[in-house]
Amino acid sequence: EYNPVGGSFFHEVPLHDIFIRRTAAHAEVKLSATRVDWLGRKPGVYATVATQVSASGVGVLLMEFSGFDDLTRLDGSPESIPTWYGFGADMATADTTGWVRASGLNGTSRSMDLSNPMTVTMWSKISVGEDVSSAEYVNEGVITFIMGNNQP
């Protein structure tokens, strides 16, 4: 019983079970790019944004990496160009947090708490040596997005 005015007249306020409904985990993911094309005309170290991943929703989103490697010649020659990846809002942050050799990215994952919508910037860096022949070089890495079963 509840007496809102403090007098002798009582009002009954029924208390019912309280149900809390959780929204099912979901995500909306946007990529700024799905491929990077390099045109290295002379030896040197080059870096650029590989992609920006923007995500929002409910839950935890995992980004899993596979198939990343150094750039290799399209014609099958064993020559390759060393490749690294880094993460950060700008290249200085990628430098500070450290670059990962392309093959070292495989089998790793990054998580994104979607309660705070965010953008993850992934950088790519290559080192073209004096002895690198002019040719087309390729690598196809895969980023798989997986919704976590638990909410943060």
Side-chain angles (χ1 to χ4, degrees), residues 21-62:
R21 189 179 121 218
R22 295 183 96 177
T23 304
H26 64 277
E28 178 180 343
V29 178
K30 295 179 182 176
L31 301 173
S32 65
T34 58
R35 77 182 271 161
V36 175
D37 292 321
W38 293 98
L39 179 59
R41 294 184 181 250
K42 60 182 182 176
V45 176
Y46 303 92
T48 190
V49 171
T51 192
Q52 291 180 310
V53 180
S54 299
S56 61
V58 175
V60 175
L61 180 68
L62 294 175

Side-chain angles (χ1 to χ4, degrees), residues 72-90:
T72 56
R73 284 181 59 141
L74 191 58
D75 64 9
S77 173
E79 196 171 11
S80 65
I81 297 175
T83 307
W84 294 265
Y85 290 93
F87 296 89
D90 51 39

Side-chain angles (χ1 to χ4, degrees), residues 99-122:
W99 294 89
V100 177
R101 191 67 183 254
S103 60
L105 201 56
N106 298 326
T108 66
S109 63
R110 297 179 67 87
S111 65
M112 300 171 72
D113 176 357
L114 299 179
S115 63
N116 299 313
M118 62 187 321
T119 298
V120 172
T121 303
M122 181 178 179

